[in-house]
């Protein structure tokens, strides 16, 4: 399998804030409101999880309440355009209208709870330039679980530094199963748009929810994973 030299990789994204602070961010940014989940219920759930979840855990609102299509637009990243900082909003690529139909694959056990915690995510930088097909058994062999797309978007929302130019991540815990039981070859990922093609130049530097082929390799994409989920 392809390898990446640790000496060439950037530092891992900074530790996430406490779960209660993450809940506050979701409320203050308008990601969560009464139409999704009562803010007080979110804060209460976060406080309960904070008592047992490990340091650096990620707070996740279940995608049945907050699907990827609703989450993506809340992503933010500061890009440099003509030497000036510009805030870019996240988006889903146009050829992924079925983004919310990508569901957890067998073996990825998402808690049946409105709010749950994901143990400190790992971006999987050491697997950059691996294909999803190659990375899946490696992640399992490490005793870890790949992040779902919803979890990956939550991570990029809470920690924008998780997306770095030339090093972002795939979320192979989510795939789209066809009617015949086989999987669609598209595999979801979160990275930074170059503003080319159908993305549009106005999205250069924006957080992007898109996809790559199951058997293709990309030098700028690792494979996000976690050691555990708790509720």
């Amino acid at each position: 399998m392809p390898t990446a030299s640790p000496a060439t990789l950037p530092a891992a994204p900074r530790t996430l804030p406490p779960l209660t602070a993450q809940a506050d961010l979701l409320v203050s940014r308008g990601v969560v409101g009464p139409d999704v989940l009562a803010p007080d219920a979110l804060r209460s759930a976060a406080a309960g999880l904070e008592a047992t979840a490990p340091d650096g855990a990620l707070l996740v609102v279940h995608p049945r309440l907050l699907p990827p299509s609703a989450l993506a637009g809340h992503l933010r990243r500061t890009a440099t355009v003509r030497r000036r900082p510009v805030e870019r909003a996240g988006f889903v690529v146009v050829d992924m209208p079925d983004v919310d139909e990508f569901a957890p694959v067998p073996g990825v056990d998402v808690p049946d709870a409105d709010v749950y915690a994901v143990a400190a995510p790992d971006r999987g930088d050491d697997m950059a330039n691996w294909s999803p097909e190659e990375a899946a058994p490696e992640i399992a062999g490490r005793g870890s679980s790949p992040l779902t797309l919803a979890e990956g978007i939550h991570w990029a929302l809470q920690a924008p530094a998780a997306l770095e130019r030339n090093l972002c991540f795939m979320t192979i815990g989510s795939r789209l199963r066809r009617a015949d039981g086989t999987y669609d070859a598209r595999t979801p990922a979160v990275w930074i748009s170059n503003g080319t093609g159908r993305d549009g130049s106005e999205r250069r530097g924006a957080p992007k929810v898109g996809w790559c082929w199951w058997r293709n390799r990309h030098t700028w994409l690792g494979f996000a994973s976690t050691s555990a989920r708790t509720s």
Side-chain angles (χ1 to χ4, degrees), residues 81-184:
V81 179
R82 296 177 182 174
R83 300 182 181 179
R84 295 182 179 180
V86 177
E87 186 177 73
R88 298 297 202 200
F91 68 100
V92 179
V93 294
V94 296
D95 53 355
M96 206 176 182
D98 48 3
V99 63
D100 294 337
E101 297 175 29
F102 284 71
V105 299
V108 173
D109 299 318
V110 172
D112 186 19
D114 289 347
V115 184
Y116 65 96
V118 170
D122 183 331
R123 196 168 58 186
D125 292 351
D126 62 317
M127 288 182 281
N129 206 31
W130 291 35
S131 71
E133 184 178 47
E134 293 164 336
E138 175 67 18
I139 292 171
R142 297 177 182 183
S144 295
S145 174
L147 289 196
T148 66
L149 177 56
E151 292 166 352
I153 299 174
H154 270 285
W155 187 23
L157 194 156
Q158 295 286 352
L163 298 181
E164 297 185 61
R165 179 63 68 183
N166 298 323
L167 258 180
C168 298
F169 58 88
M170 299 195 71
T171 55
I172 62 174
S174 296
R175 295 193 70 188
L176 177 63
R177 191 182 290 274
R178 301 189 185 100
D180 63 3
T182 62
Y183 282 112
D184 189 290

Side-chain angles (χ1 to χ4, degrees), residues 13-17 55-57:
R14 288 174 293 180
T15 301
L16 286 159
D55 290 342

Side-chain angles (χ1 to χ4, degrees), residues 45-59:
L49 288 165
E50 194 168 283
T52 56
D55 290 342
L58 171 69
L59 189 70

